[in-house]
């Protein structure tokens, strides 16, 4: 039995068992490896994708649950010509990734947050960004999200330099 859905705007047919996790259908059937396997129990968020605009952890979503739905992976965020989104550009500008493994899931979670809450507070970010980053880049993630939202705090003023006495 084939499962029909849209992935990154294109119709696809998955010829897998209905209980196959969406993550494996994306990676193995479609060859899209940007969505990562992390834990397999929907705890870490490395496998985050959007399903009908909602961020979901694809390792725990059976393929049968996405029949007729629209799925966006990290590969589908950028423009058809490869143009990066403002969020992806901010990720680069703020040097968010260290090892980079969790970052596609982090970006997908951040994109879902910004779609619902265009000007998130730190509390909004903390509530939405539940993905795990073993490298601890959370401050950079927050800065990148604020940058895209236009809510970045103004840089601190440079300390005044003391006057020097010419000797």
């Amino acid at each position: 039995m084939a499962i029909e859905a849209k992935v990154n705007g294109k119709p696809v047919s998955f010829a897998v068992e209905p209980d196959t996790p969406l993550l494996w259908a994306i990676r193995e059937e479609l060859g899209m490896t940007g969505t990562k396997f992390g834990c397999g129990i929907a705890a870490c968020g490395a496998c985050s994708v959007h399903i009908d605009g909602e961020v979901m952890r694809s390792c725990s979503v059976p393929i049968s649950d996405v029949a007729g739905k629209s799925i966006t992976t990290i590969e589908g965020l950028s423009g058809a010509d490869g143009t990066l989104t403002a969020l992806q550009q901010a990720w680069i500008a703020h040097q968010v990734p260290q090892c980079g493994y969790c970052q596609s899931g982090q970006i997908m979670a951040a994109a879902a947050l910004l779609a619902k809450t265009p000007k998130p507070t730190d509390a909004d970010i903390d509530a939405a960004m539940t993905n795990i980053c073993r490298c601890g880049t959370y401050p950079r993630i927050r800065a990148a999200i604020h940058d895209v939202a236009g809510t970045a705090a103004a840089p601190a003023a440079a300390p005044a330099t003391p006057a020097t006495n010419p000797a």
Side-chain angles (χ1 to χ4, degrees):
M1 172 174 131
I3 306 293
E4 308 290 329
K6 279 191 178 181
V7 175
N8 300 331
K10 297 176 182 164
V12 297
S13 181
F14 294 105
V16 296
E17 294 296 319
D19 62 346
T20 300
L22 175 59
L23 169 65
W24 296 117
I26 291 169
R27 290 181 60 84
E28 301 296 324
E29 296 294 308
L30 301 180
M32 295 179 172
T33 57
T35 304
K36 305 296 184 200
F37 173 78
C39 66
I41 59 170
C44 74
C47 65
S48 295
V49 299
H50 297 171
I51 302 173
D52 286 344
E54 296 292 321
V55 68
M56 301 286 290
R57 300 202 172 160
S58 65
C59 71
S60 65
V61 176
I63 196 71
S64 59
D65 285 3
V66 301
K69 296 187 178 181
S70 180
I71 302 154
T72 304
T73 68
I74 189 70
E75 291 92 345
L77 270 191
S78 56
D81 63 353
T83 305
L84 298 179
T85 65
L87 182 61
Q88 291 167 313
Q89 291 172 12
W91 233 249
I92 294 166
H94 288 276
Q95 299 178 354
V96 174
Q98 280 188 7
C99 83
Y101 196 82
C102 70
Q103 295 308 311
S104 60
Q106 297 280 6
I107 291 170
M108 295 304 288
L113 165 65
L114 290 166
K116 288 185 179 185
T117 310
K119 300 271 188 199
T121 63
D122 283 348
D124 294 330
I125 294 170
D126 291 346
M129 298 299 296
T130 60
N131 297 31
I132 296 171
C133 174
R134 291 186 59 144
C135 299
T137 65
Y138 303 111
R140 290 187 236 168
I141 290 169
R142 179 179 283 157
I145 292 169
H146 279 307
D147 188 24
V148 172
T151 59
T161 51
T164 55
N165 283 334

